[in-house]
Amino acid sequence: MRLDLERIHRAREQIDPVFLDTPQYPCDPLGEALGCRVVLKVETLNPVRSFKGRGTETALARLQEAGPLGEVVCASAGNLGQALALGGRRRRLRVTVVASSAANPLKLARMRSLGAEVVLVEGGIEEALAAARHHADSTGASLVQDSLDLATCEGAATIGVELAGLPADLAPDTVLVSLGAGAMASGVGFALQQLRPTVEVVTVQPEQAPAMTLALRAGRVVEVGAPDTIADGVAGRYVIPEVLADLQEVVADALLVSEAGIVEAMRLLHTHAGLVVEPAAALGVAAVLEQPDRFRGRTVATILCGSNVAPADFARWVTDAG
C-alpha cells in the first residue's frame, strides 16, 4: 500500500480550505425513494465544482517543497485540469492541460477561464497523457498524473477522514465511491480502513467504462474496449497497476451500473436533494437503484464528486429519465 495516514493528515494542512469539510448529511427523501438511509457527501460547492482540488493542492504543495516550480502539466478530461489551473493561478505557476479533442466543451472552457493553456489531441485520456508526458520531458514542466501521483490519492483521502468523523448515529455501513483511475477510491478506502475499519468501501463504475472494475474482479490488469459512457469523468480505458494494487487492499466490492441507471440517479438527486451533478457523481445512487436488496435497510454514504455538466445535457438527460 502506497498511502500513509500521517501524510494524509498533513495534506489537510496543505489544501486550500475551500475544498475541505464539505457537507455530509442524511437525505431522507432520497433514502425513502431508495429503501435505505442515504448520507450525501457533497464535493461540488467549490470554485471547480469537484473534489479534484484536494489532490491538486496536495500535489502542488509537495512539488513546491521539493524545489522551485515554474510550470505544471497534466492530462485531464476536465475536472483535474480545472483544479490544477486554479491552484497554479493562486501560486502564479504556468499550467498546461492536455485533453482529448472530444472532451466536454464546458470543462475545456472552464480550464481556459482559470488560466490554463489547453492543448487538444486526438484520441482519449490515454493519448492525452502520452502528450502530457512528452510536454513534461521536452520543457521540464512537472507532470501531475492523476492516481499514479500519490499526492492526488492522499489529497482525495481527506474525504475519507471527514466521513470517518461522522457522528455515531450517521456512521455509514457502506461508502459508495465512483471509480475511474482510482485516486478517490484508493484514498477514501485507505482512510476509512485506518479510521473506521468496519465500514465497507464499494466502488462503482459504468458498465460501458469497466476497466478498473474488471481488473479488481480478475485480480490483474485486463484488456477492455474503448469506453462509451456519458460519465466522462471516469471514462478511462487502461489501468495503472500501482493503483490497482492499492485498491485491492481497501475495496470490499466493485459494482457496475448501466447508462440508464446513471441518468435516473441524476434525476433522483435533482428531485429529492435539489442537486445538479455530473454523471460520474451519480454512480453511487445508480448502484443502489440497480441492486436495492444489497443495500436495503443499511446506512449508505455516497460521494457526489462533481457537478461539471452542461445545462443542456443535464436537462435532456433528466427530462428523458422522467
Side-chain angles (χ1 to χ4, degrees):
M1 169 58 68
R2 300 180 302 151
L3 284 78
D4 176 81
L5 188 60
E6 184 176 342
R7 288 197 304 263
I8 292 166
H9 284 306
R10 185 159 179 252
R12 279 189 55 85
E13 301 170 3
Q14 298 170 317
I15 295 168
D16 186 329
V18 74
F19 295 108
L20 295 173
D21 299 313
T22 53
Q24 47 189 26
Y25 59 90
C27 182
D28 293 338
L30 183 60
E32 290 170 8
L34 294 175
C36 62
R37 192 181 196 194
V38 177
V39 174
L40 300 179
K41 178 67 165 164
V42 185
E43 293 291 309
T44 64
L45 305 177
N46 60 61
V48 297
R49 306 185 190 183
S50 85
F51 80 98
K52 291 289 189 180
R54 294 179 185 255
T56 56
E57 286 289 290
T58 307
L60 289 170
R62 292 182 186 178
L63 284 170
Q64 288 188 309
E65 287 175 349
L69 187 62
E71 180 186 359
V72 289
V73 60
C74 73
S76 175
N79 288 352
L80 180 77
Q82 289 181 69
L84 193 65
L86 180 71
R89 186 173 71 178
R90 188 162 70 88
R91 294 168 175 82
R92 303 190 180 210
L93 303 172
R94 181 180 176 187
V95 176
T96 300
V97 180
V98 185
S100 167
S101 58
N104 183 319
L106 175 71
K107 295 181 180 182
L108 294 176
R110 287 187 176 155
M111 288 189 287
R112 292 188 178 105
S113 73
L114 289 166
E117 179 182 350
V118 178
V119 177
L120 300 180
V121 298
E122 296 302 314
I125 188 64
E126 289 76 24
E127 287 75 20
L129 178 57
R133 285 179 181 144
H134 176 74
H135 180 88
D137 292 340
S138 61
T139 66
S142 295
L143 175 66
V144 176
Q145 183 175 343
D146 196 21
S147 302
L148 181 60
D149 189 328
L150 191 55
T152 63
C153 304
E154 292 182 337
T158 59
I159 298 171
V161 173
E162 292 168 20
L163 285 168
L166 280 165
D169 63 322
L170 292 181
D173 302 303
T174 301
V175 173
L176 295 166
V177 189
S178 300
L179 178 61
M184 182 168 63
S186 63
V188 170
F190 177 77
L192 288 170
Q193 183 186 70
Q194 298 298 304
L195 300 171
R196 285 281 182 95
T198 60
V199 175
E200 174 191 50
V201 175
V202 175
T203 60
V204 191
Q205 199 164 38
E207 290 175 350
Q208 311 226 103
M212 187 65 87
T213 299
L214 297 183
L216 278 167
R217 292 177 179 179
R220 57 180 175 81
V221 176
V222 296
E223 291 294 324
V224 298
D228 183 22
T229 175
I230 62 171
D232 62 302
V234 293
R237 178 174 179 177
Y238 297 106
V239 169
I240 301 171
E242 295 91 335
V243 182
L244 174 61
D246 292 341
L247 289 168
Q248 287 173 314
E249 293 195 34
V250 299
V251 170
D253 200 1
L255 307 179
L256 294 171
V257 294
S258 69
E259 297 296 291
I262 296 169
V263 170
E264 177 63 8
M266 293 171 69
R267 188 187 71 81
L268 288 176
L269 282 161
H270 186 252
T271 299
H272 296 297
L275 296 171
V276 173
V277 301
E278 64 185 86
L283 299 182
V285 172
V288 181
L289 270 172
E290 296 191 347
Q291 296 194 34
D293 291 342
R294 191 191 192 292
F295 301 103
R296 185 166 287 116
R298 297 171 65 82
T299 297
V300 177
T302 186
I303 302 164
L304 306 183
C305 55
S307 63
N308 285 301
V309 56
D313 288 337
F314 184 84
R316 184 177 74 253
W317 292 329
V318 168
T319 300
D320 287 349

